[in-house]
Structure formats: C-alpha cells, structure tokens
C-alpha cells in the first residue's frame, strides 16, 4: 500500500519534511508487529501522531488523540494551521516582515508573559488583532481552550526572536546618499498609486453592491505595503527607476506572495494539486477588485484589461468570474481622468 495515496498522509507530508522522509523510508514498518496489517486508517493515525509529536516538540500540546482528530475536520484543520504558523522557518520569516514598531510590541508581549501556558493565548490574540483577515490565525485563536503551550513553546519563540535580532542591524538603513533621490521618487510614485487605488475602488463600490466593506478597506489600506518594508524599499525603488528585463528574486517573491498577482494563484494551485486538497481557494470578490485595480495601474484598459483579467479565470468560481466580467465593462480611463464619478 502506497501511503502517498492517502489524503491525510499526503497533507502531513506536505507540512513536514521529516514526516515525508518517514513515509518515504517506510519507517512505519519498523514499529509494526508481525501480525499488524498496513491499512489506510493505521497510516493516517501514524501521520497525525507524527504531527502531534512535532507540535509537542515546539511546546504546543492538547488532549486530542489522532483518532479523534481524524473524525473532526475542524480540529484537524487547527492542527495544520498550528504546524504551519509556528514552524520555525515560517514564523521567522513572518517576524522579519513585521514593521519595527509591531515587532517591538510582539517582543514586549513575549517578555511580559510569566506563565508558559499563557504565551500561546497572548500570541494568538495579538495575531488576530494585527491580522484580522487571516483566517488561519482566527482558527488558532478559537482553539485556545483545546490547545496549550508549555515551557518548550517559550524556548521556541525566544529562539526565533533571537535569530531575528541577530540578523537585524538597527544601525543600518537602506537609505543613503546614493539612493535617497531614487527612494524619494519611489515614495512619491507609491503615494500617487495609493490615490489612484482609492479613486478606482470608490468608483467600483458606487456601482457594485453586496461587498464586504471592512475586507475591502483592509485590502486598499495595505495595497503593496510590503514594498515599503525597510528591508526592501531600496530594492523596489531601484527596480522602479530602472525596470530591468529580468525580474529580480525579491520581485518574484512579491508576485508569488501577494494575491493580486497571477503568480500567487499559480503557486496556490500548485500547492493544492500537490496536496490534493479540495474546496475553493480562488479569489473572493474583494480580491477580484484589487486584481482589476492592479492591472489598471499597470496600464491595461478595455480589451487589454479583459485579456489580462481572463488569465485569472481558471482560478475563479463561475459566479466570481461573472462578477469580474461585469467590472471590466466600466471606463476606467475616464474614471482616472476624473471625467466620471
């Protein structure tokens, strides 16, 4: 029996290289008695047990048994969200991406928590506060009654903070005499784009109803904000000034991690295909609006805009694509000129 034909085993392997290697090497055979039979249930339980072990190693535990989790999709989803969000590499990259003031606030929370079991709760509350639209953190925050942290969790988080601090030099800045003009022009350009985004979204929301206003406001407020992070603003300013033919790595990363780019959905599709996950994962209506806005800012209008937006069609549900096609019908050149309101 091939364990990788079992959905839950495949999903666990996609979450952990160690678990993947465990099944590739068929180590589960070593732990079996002669009379044991390899069954999908046994392999599924083994995979979830390994996930629980990995969470326990970083200091997150619960009273759930693998068999119980397999019978509860909601609790099983929590398991995978915990494993992903608190993975040492993922959490390190996340902390590195925070603005200095937000990172300082996070560190202050960690320093002020005296009981290990409270740290998980405090971090979950903090993350849902700063990322209100991140459903993974919302799922984790709702689980604090069933999952708890131990001393190992405090050590795990502290070790990641130490790594962030070691690789951060507060005495350096990307702005210097050689690029201050470039960065100034880039900031002005970003300010102009912010204004255009608001004009376009305001116009669309005056024509289309039934949208999630809070979600859309969040998208507008945070549009391309990652480009202004201290670690990469100079790189984006340089790219904006020169526009080299080959995309640099930081721009590729931006495209693959920001939802209004086609590369993001291609990457998402590859992940879902690899793990054989089920269920919708395409853009919601508010994200479709921001995808459209992004294409307009790139200079696409009319038929060209429809052609570029059509590249996203395969990732949308039929009703979402119908919504997207309706948006294309508006005269956005006139909107940006101020001829229509």
């Amino acid at each position: 029996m091939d364990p990788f034909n079992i959905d839950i085993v495949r999903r666990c392997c996609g979450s952990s290289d160690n678990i993947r290697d465990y099944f590739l090497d068929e180590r589960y055979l070593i732990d079996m008695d002669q009379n044991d039979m390899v069954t999908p249930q046994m392999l599924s339980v083994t995979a979830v047990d390994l996930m629980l072990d990995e969470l326990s190693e970083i200091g997150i535990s619960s009273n759930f048994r693998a068999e119980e989790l397999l019978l509860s999709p909601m609790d099983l989803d929590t398991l995978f969200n915990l494993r992903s969000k608190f993975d040492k590499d993922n959490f390190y990259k996340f902390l590195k991406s925070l603005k200095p003031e937000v990172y300082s606030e996070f560190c202050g929370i960690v320093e002020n928590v005296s009981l290990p079991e409270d740290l998980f709760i405090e971090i979950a509350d903090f993350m849902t506060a700063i990322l209100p639209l991140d459903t993974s953190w919302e799922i984790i925050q709702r689980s604090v009654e069933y999952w708890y942290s131990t001393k190992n969790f405090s050590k795990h988080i502290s070790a990641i903070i130490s790594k962030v601090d070691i690789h951060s030099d507060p005495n350096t800045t990307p702005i210097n005499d050689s690029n201050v003009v470039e960065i100034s022009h880039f900031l002005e350009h970003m300010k102009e784009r912010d204004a255009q985004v608001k004009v376009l979204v305001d116009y669309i929301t005056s024509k289309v109803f039934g949208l999630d206003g809070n979600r859309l406001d969040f998208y507008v407020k945070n549009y391309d904000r990652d480009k202004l992070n201290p670690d990469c603003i100079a790189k984006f300013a340089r790219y904006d000034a020169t526009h080299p033919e080959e995309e640099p790595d930081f721009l590729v990363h931006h495209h693959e991690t920001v939802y209004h780019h086609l590369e993001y959905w291609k990457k998402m599709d590859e992940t879902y295909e690899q793990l054989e996950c089920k269920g919708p994962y395409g853009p919601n209506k508010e994200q479709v609006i921001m995808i459209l806005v992004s294409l307009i800012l790139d200079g696409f209008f009319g038929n060209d805009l429809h052609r570029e937006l059509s590249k996203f069609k395969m990732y949308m549900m039929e009703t979402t694509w119908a919504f997207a096609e309706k948006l294309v019908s508006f005269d956005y050149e006139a909107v940006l000129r101020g001829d229509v309101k």
Side-chain angles (χ1 to χ4, degrees):
M1 176 177 294
D2 184 356
F4 293 94
N5 287 332
I6 303 170
D7 288 342
I8 190 63
V9 172
R10 214 166 29 244
R11 191 176 178 189
C12 291
C13 290
S15 299
S16 166
D17 291 342
N18 290 332
I19 296 178
R20 181 200 61 203
D21 292 342
Y22 176 90
F23 282 97
L24 283 173
D25 298 338
E26 297 185 335
R27 294 179 214 160
Y28 53 88
L29 296 175
I30 301 174
D31 300 325
M32 294 175 57
D33 295 329
Q34 283 187 329
N35 296 327
D36 287 342
M37 291 183 61
V38 177
T39 65
Q41 175 68 8
M42 183 273 285
L43 293 174
S44 298
V45 169
T46 299
V48 173
D49 271 333
L50 291 172
M51 287 281 287
L52 289 169
D53 288 343
E54 289 195 348
L55 278 179
S56 180
E57 287 176 7
I58 67 172
I60 300 178
S61 298
S62 76
N63 293 321
F64 286 116
R65 294 183 298 109
E67 291 85 354
E68 294 173 323
L69 290 172
L70 288 170
L71 294 174
S72 174
M74 183 181 299
D75 293 317
L76 193 62
D77 198 32
T78 301
L79 173 76
F80 285 104
N81 279 295
L82 287 168
R83 178 63 182 82
S84 174
K85 289 298 189 182
F86 289 112
D87 175 82
K88 60 181 177 59
D89 294 328
N90 292 345
F91 204 63
Y92 167 74
K93 292 175 184 176
F94 171 73
L95 292 184
K96 284 279 289 183
S97 72
L98 293 177
K99 294 180 180 180
E101 61 271 20
V102 179
Y103 175 66
S104 296
E105 184 180 355
F106 172 79
C107 292
I109 289 173
V110 175
E111 291 173 3
N112 291 324
V113 173
S114 55
L115 298 175
E117 57 267 29
D118 289 341
L119 184 56
F120 173 61
I121 298 173
E122 291 292 337
I123 290 180
D125 288 345
F126 179 79
M127 294 305 173
T128 51
I130 66 170
L131 299 168
L133 298 181
D134 190 324
T135 55
S136 292
W137 282 116
E138 183 182 355
I139 289 170
I140 290 172
Q141 200 272 338
R142 290 176 180 174
S143 74
V144 296
E145 292 182 19
Y146 308 103
W147 298 81
Y148 56 90
S149 52
T150 65
K151 288 183 179 179
N152 282 348
F153 186 65
S154 300
K155 293 178 182 178
H156 176 69
I157 298 299
S158 296
I160 295 174
I161 289 175
S162 296
K163 182 180 178 182
V164 173
D165 292 341
I166 288 172
H167 290 86
S168 300
D169 184 354
N171 297 316
T172 62
T173 174
I175 303 176
N176 52 52
D177 291 341
S178 66
N179 63 14
V180 64
V181 174
E182 221 169 55
I183 291 176
S184 177
H185 288 164
F186 178 65
L187 290 172
E188 188 62 32
H189 174 62
M190 293 294 287
K191 184 177 179 181
E192 293 172 359
R193 283 169 65 90
D194 278 349
Q196 290 175 325
V197 168
K198 291 174 183 175
V199 167
L200 291 167
V201 171
D202 284 346
Y203 176 77
I204 291 171
T205 54
S206 72
K207 300 295 182 180
V208 178
F209 304 98
L211 299 170
D212 187 328
N214 290 332
R215 177 184 289 169
L216 193 54
D217 287 345
F218 178 82
Y219 289 156
V220 170
K221 183 179 179 181
N222 290 278
Y223 183 82
D224 271 356
R225 279 293 179 270
D226 61 306
K227 292 182 178 180
L228 302 180
N229 287 341
D231 289 344
C232 57
I233 185 172
K235 297 176 183 178
F236 278 105
R238 183 62 181 165
Y239 180 83
D240 190 63
T242 59
H243 285 286
E245 290 186 8
E246 184 176 351
E247 287 190 348
D249 290 342
F250 67 86
L251 189 61
V252 172
H253 176 74
H254 168 78
H255 288 163
E256 291 182 344
T257 54
V258 177
Y259 67 88
H260 59 250
H261 292 290
L262 184 63
E263 292 85 349
Y264 173 91
W265 298 105
K266 287 181 178 178
K267 190 89 171 177
M268 180 77 77
D269 188 54
E270 291 171 2
T271 302
Y272 264 65
E273 184 176 353
Q274 179 185 3
L275 300 178
E276 295 192 12
C277 297
K278 296 178 174 61
Y281 63 88
N284 55 49
K285 288 184 177 181
E286 293 76 23
Q287 288 175 326
V288 168
I289 290 174
M290 301 311 294
I291 289 170
L292 184 83
V293 167
S294 179
L295 293 173
I296 293 170
L297 294 181
D298 285 341
F300 295 107
F301 299 96
N303 292 334
D304 291 337
L305 178 61
H306 186 274
R307 183 194 67 237
E308 293 301 311
L309 188 61
S310 295
K311 295 177 181 178
F312 293 83
K313 180 179 179 180
M314 64 181 295
Y315 308 113
M316 298 185 193
M317 294 184 291
E318 289 186 12
T319 53
T320 309
W321 174 244
F323 170 78
E325 283 202 298
K326 179 181 179 181
L327 296 182
V328 177
S329 64
F330 301 134
D331 186 353
Y332 294 106
E333 287 183 283
V335 173
L336 289 177
R337 288 195 306 267
D339 294 343
V340 296
K341 296 182 180 179

